[in-house]
Amino acid sequence: MPVAKSKGPRWYTVFPTPWGPMGAAANESGVCRVVLPHYQADDLANLLAWEHPGAIRDEARFAALADACRNYFNGSPTDFADVAIDLPAEGTFAGKVYRACMAIPFGQTKSYRELALQIGREDAARAVATMMSKNPTPLVVPCHRVIYSDGRAGGFSAEGGPAFKQRLLRHESQQRRSRC
């Protein structure tokens, strides 16, 4: 009987950015985990190796992601279009939410409600918020750009929490203003 291929991560990396080391894991479909700057490089490498037993460290596989992240943290508007990413199927709720989130331009925000309306689910703002909290690929799927309708930033499940989300939003806002 053939053994099904695991969709779990097969590769991981750690790379420097102007804000500190970042990490990522990928499977055959693309990047499936992004760790934002928070850890020391060695601790991050150990974390990813522990989270993804059997995964192989491979910097070259993540070159597009590393370049995009460095550009982002250096202040360049970055859309991550060249990064292969493992997203849920297009027809699923999660797939629709993550794709709609990826369309939010650098330096702009949308509310959870606006994202729900965009995917045709006006009653699903809380479910959209839940999907954002489960986003395994922050920055690539820019969940930090999704905020409350009243303008508050809301939560952020990545390391650094809401304070890091605020920092990302300020970073984008400053870069956008300096380009006008």
Side-chain angles (χ1 to χ4, degrees):
M1 181 186 250
V3 176
K5 280 188 178 178
S6 167
K7 203 171 177 195
R10 297 191 49 196
W11 304 277
Y12 73 95
T13 191
V14 173
F15 53 89
T17 75
W19 285 22
M22 284 186 66
N27 58 34
E28 290 86 358
S29 299
V31 174
C32 58
R33 168 104 159 94
V34 171
V35 182
L36 296 174
H38 178 76
Y39 298 94
Q40 296 297 317
D42 290 343
D43 293 338
L44 183 51
N46 290 335
L47 172 68
L48 289 166
W50 175 80
E51 281 183 347
H52 311 293
I56 299 165
R57 188 163 179 173
D58 181 356
E59 278 72 26
R61 181 169 300 275
F62 297 90
L65 175 66
D67 288 345
C69 290
R70 287 184 193 110
N71 288 338
Y72 176 88
F73 288 115
N74 276 322
S76 298
T78 306
D79 66 7
F80 295 90
D82 294 334
V83 177
I85 183 170
D86 183 16
L87 289 171
E90 282 187 58
T92 65
F93 181 77
K96 290 176 184 178
V97 169
Y98 290 151
R99 283 170 178 80
C101 182
M102 289 175 72
I104 303 170
F106 183 97
Q108 296 181 29
T109 59
K110 280 196 175 187
S111 71
Y112 298 106
R113 186 176 191 301
E114 287 173 317
L115 218 51
L117 288 169
Q118 184 177 335
I119 65 165
R121 293 285 309 274
E122 67 179 85
D123 62 335
R126 283 187 180 197
V128 166
T130 298
M131 291 312 311
M132 294 295 98
S133 74
K134 296 176 186 262
N135 176 17
T137 55
L139 215 55
V140 180
V141 175
C143 55
H144 65 281
R145 295 180 187 149
V146 185
I147 61 174
Y148 288 123
S149 294
D150 65 6
R152 289 180 297 136
F156 196 54
S157 59
E159 293 295 337
F164 195 78
K165 180 176 184 173
Q166 291 278 13
R167 185 176 177 204
L168 291 170
L169 291 171
R170 279 192 310 274
H171 171 70
E172 290 187 18
S173 176
Q174 290 167 351
Q175 296 310 315
R176 190 167 172 199
R177 278 196 306 270
S178 70
R179 293 188 186 326
C180 293

